[in-house]
Amino acid sequence: MKGRTYVATGNACKLCAPFGACMALRGIEGCIPLIHGSQGCATYIRRYGISHFREPLDIASSNFTEAAAIFGGRDILFTALDNVSRSYKPAAIGVTSTCLSETIGEDVPRYLRQYEAERQDQAPLPLLFYASTPSYRGTHTDGFHEAIWAVLSTLIGTREDRPVQGSEGTRVNLISSFVSTEDLRELHSILRSFEAPYTLIPDYSESLDGPSWETYQKLPEGGTKLADIRAMADAVGTLYLGYPPGKDGGQWLWENHGIPLTRLELPIGIENTDRFFEALATLTGREIPEPWQKQRGRLIDAYIDGHKYGSGKRAILYGEEDLVAALASFLDEIGVIPIIAATGRAGSGFAQRIQQALKNTPAEEPLIMDDADFISILERAKTLEADFIMGHSKGLYLSRELGIPLVRCGFPIHDRIGGQRLLHLGYRGTLNLFDLLCNTLLQAKQDQVSKGYTYL
Ligand code: SF4
C-alpha cells in the first residue's frame, strides 16, 4: 500500500492461501485436504477453522522435515497420501502447496501423476486434486477459488474427455465465494425454490456445521456430491458469486464446455440480491417465488423502520474483497457512508468494485485500501471520525483503539459463538445484518448514557 512507513505486515488483514483452499475442499463430498508443507501450516489452519466453526477439522500434512526442505518432499508426500488413503478411505484428497513447498519449487502435479502410476495396482485410488497456493502471492481468497478450479478441471475434464451428455435443460451451477455455513443453507433454500436441478459448490454447510455425533466421524457427511460436480458440464449456465482473483472455475467451464457464465457480487443488500434472483429466474425460466418477494418487502419495511439509526453514520469496512464490496453496496443503500474500505489482498480490481457499489456516498469517500494490514487501517482511521467498524473479529483492537463499536460479520469470528451461523446473504441475510448493525449502534449509544433508557 502506498504511504506505508514500514515494510513488515502488522496484524494482517488476510489469511493464508492454503487455508482458503482447505475450506473449499471440505465442501466437496468425501474429500480431505492434505497440506504439502510443514505441520505448523496444517496446525494453524486447523486451529483457525475450529475456533470459528466449532467443529473437528482434520487437515492432513506431508509434514516437511529439514531433509525434505533440501532434497524435496516427493517421498513424504507419497507416505502422506498412503496414510490418508488408509486411515480415512476418502473419495478424494485435495493436495495444496504451502509457502515452503512452493519456494523450493516442488512439482506437485508431476508427483501426483507418478503416485497414481506407481499405485495403480492398489485401485481404487482416491481422486487427487491439486491447488497451488503459495501464500506469499495471494490470500485465502486465491486459495479458495483455486481449489474450486482444481476440483472442476480434474473431475469434469475437458470436452474431449467426456462422452456427450446432453443438457438437462434447466440445471444451474452456483459457485460461491467464501461465505458462512448458514449462507450456504440459505443458497440451497433459494435454489430449491426455483425447482430446477442445481449444483452448489463448494458446500461445507454440513461438513463444517453438522449436528452432534454419537461417535466420531473421520470424514463428516456433506459436501457437493461428485456426481453433481460432473453434471456441471451440462448446465444451462453458471452463476459465480464473487470475483476469483486468479484461477476461475466458472471461466474454465465456459472455455471448456461452453457453459455461459454470469458473475455477481455477493447478494447482500437489495440491489445485489435483486440481481441474484433475476439471474436465477432468467436461467431457470421461472418466476421469483412469492416467499422471496415477501422477504424483500419485509427488508424494505425494516430499512424504513430503522433508517434513523444508521443513516449518515460513518463506517470502516475491512476483510475479504468479495464481502467488503457487497457490504459497501448494502451500507450505501441504507445511507451509511463507508469512509474506509480495506482488504489485505493487492490489486484485482477491488477499488473499481467499491466505487461501482457506492451510488449515494459522497464522491470524496471512501478511502480504498488494498494490500492493507490493521496497523495501516488504524493509522488512516485515526483522523477520519468513524462511528463504527464492520468486519471479522480480528478488528477488535481497531475498535478498542478508536473507541467505536465493531459489527462482527464474515470470517473469522473467534470471540463470539455462532459466527458460522451468521446469515449474510439474500433478503433474510441483509435483514439480519441490518438488525445487527442498528442494534450495535443503539447499544453503543445506550452505554454512553449513565442512566440508560428503555425506550427508543
Ligand atoms: S507458512 Fe505460508 S502456507 Fe504456512 S501457514 Fe504460514 S502463510 Fe500459510
Side-chain angles (χ1 to χ4, degrees):
M1 201 198 79
K2 283 183 195 152
R4 259 190 199 161
T5 55
Y6 55 93
V7 291
T9 295
N11 198 1
C13 188
K14 60 184 175 184
L15 305 174
C16 100
F19 176 89
C22 288
M23 295 303 105
L25 291 166
R26 288 312 300 252
I28 307 299
E29 179 188 39
C31 180
I32 185 143
L34 194 166
I35 303 278
H36 188 43
S38 68
Q39 270 289 349
C41 301
T43 304
Y44 154 72
I45 291 169
R46 278 194 295 264
R47 172 79 183 82
Y48 231 75
I50 289 168
S51 296
H52 176 87
F53 291 104
R54 318 274 169 175
E55 294 279 12
L57 182 57
D58 286 10
I59 307 288
S61 166
S62 59
N63 195 13
F64 254 63
T65 57
E66 289 84 348
I70 295 166
F71 302 113
R74 178 186 180 276
D75 292 346
I76 56 170
L77 179 60
F78 281 26
T79 304
L81 290 167
D82 286 343
N83 289 341
V84 170
S85 302
R86 190 172 53 249
S87 307
Y88 290 86
K89 301 199 174 14
I93 301 176
V95 181
T96 76
S97 58
T98 56
C99 298
L100 175 56
S101 55
E102 291 279 355
T103 300
I104 66 169
E106 290 280 85
D107 188 350
V108 179
R110 183 166 64 92
Y111 292 169
L112 296 183
R113 285 195 299 276
Q114 290 172 346
Y115 180 83
E116 285 174 324
E118 288 184 21
R119 301 291 195 275
Q120 57 183 326
D121 57 332
Q122 297 174 16
L125 288 174
L127 287 159
L128 300 178
F129 308 129
Y130 173 60
S132 169
T133 51
S135 217
Y136 46 77
R137 199 184 62 200
T139 71
H140 63 298
T141 308
D142 297 68
F144 189 89
H145 294 287
E146 172 98 18
I148 295 170
W149 170 87
V151 170
L152 297 189
S153 56
T154 307
L155 200 52
I156 299 174
T158 59
R159 209 189 289 253
E160 292 73 43
D161 297 334
R162 280 171 60 86
V164 175
Q165 303 283 309
S167 171
E168 293 178 43
T170 53
R171 175 171 283 276
V172 173
N173 298 331
L174 181 59
I175 304 178
S176 174
S177 189
F178 188 26
V179 296
S180 77
T181 55
E182 190 66 21
D183 288 329
L184 290 172
R185 288 188 281 271
E186 184 76 355
L187 291 176
H188 272 299
S189 177
I190 293 168
L191 286 160
R192 270 196 298 269
S193 73
F194 279 87
E195 298 179 350
Y198 67 88
T199 302
L200 170 61
I201 182 171
D203 179 14
Y204 40 85
S205 60
E206 291 291 319
S207 53
L208 289 179
D209 190 19
S212 65
W213 305 324
E214 291 294 322
T215 53
Y216 182 68
Q217 295 176 19
K218 281 186 177 174
L219 263 180
E221 288 179 7
T224 310
K225 293 190 182 317
L226 302 181
D228 286 347
I229 299 171
R230 290 192 177 97
M232 291 176 80
D234 301 316
V236 290
T238 302
L239 303 183
Y240 207 125
L241 302 183
Y243 286 71
K247 295 266 181 62
D248 179 338
Q251 186 67 22
W252 183 89
L253 278 167
W254 164 243
E255 287 170 2
N256 288 278
H257 295 278
I259 311 297
L261 171 64
T262 305
R263 293 188 197 287
L264 297 164
E265 295 288 1
L266 287 175
I268 300 177
I270 291 175
E271 186 175 339
N272 285 350
T273 308
D274 282 353
R275 284 201 191 131
F276 173 53
F277 273 99
E278 283 159 12
L280 271 176
T282 303
L283 273 186
T284 60
R286 292 171 192 266
E287 295 282 315
I288 298 170
E290 194 189 345
W292 307 118
Q293 296 184 31
K294 284 199 168 162
Q295 279 189 5
R296 185 182 190 278
R298 272 193 286 274
L299 176 59
I300 292 172
D301 192 43
Y303 276 11
I304 296 165
D305 293 343
H307 79 278
K308 59 187 174 185
Y309 305 119
S311 183
K313 293 284 189 289
R314 294 160 64 82
I316 296 171
L317 289 176
Y318 59 87
E320 183 187 324
E321 55 261 45
D322 286 338
L323 182 63
V324 172
L327 288 175
S329 175
F330 158 60
L331 294 184
D332 182 77
E333 69 187 22
I334 62 171
V336 171
I337 303 164
I339 55 165
I340 289 182
T343 190
R345 196 180 188 287
S348 76
F350 177 66
Q352 194 185 12
R353 288 170 70 189
I354 297 295
Q355 280 155 356
Q356 277 173 359
L358 302 180
K359 301 190 170 55
N360 306 305
T361 298
E364 65 275 15
E365 311 282 6
L367 176 63
I368 300 173
M369 302 169 68
D370 66 356
D371 198 19
D373 61 15
F374 278 103
I375 290 185
S376 59
I377 297 172
L378 178 61
E379 278 174 0
R380 306 304 295 271
K382 277 178 178 166
T383 58
L384 292 176
E385 297 182 350
D387 293 298
F388 69 95
I389 65 177
M390 193 163 192
H392 52 73
S393 63
K394 285 179 75 178
L396 176 66
Y397 298 110
L398 187 62
S399 150
R400 291 225 166 138
E401 284 282 336
L402 296 172
I404 54 176
L406 164 61
V407 180
R408 286 171 180 76
C409 59
F411 179 95
I413 296 181
H414 285 165
D415 62 351
R416 292 287 186 276
I417 282 287
Q420 77 279 40
R421 293 188 294 274
L422 190 63
L423 182 61
H424 308 74
L425 302 189
Y427 300 122
R428 276 198 330 123
T430 306
L431 185 54
N432 188 39
L433 290 176
F434 184 74
D435 288 347
L436 189 64
L437 166 55
C438 290
N439 287 331
T440 304
L441 292 174
L442 287 167
Q443 168 91 49
K445 201 170 176 186
Q446 227 164 12
D447 289 347
Q448 289 165 6
V449 182
S450 59
K451 196 171 175 206
Y453 52 88
T454 58
Y455 197 85
L456 297 171

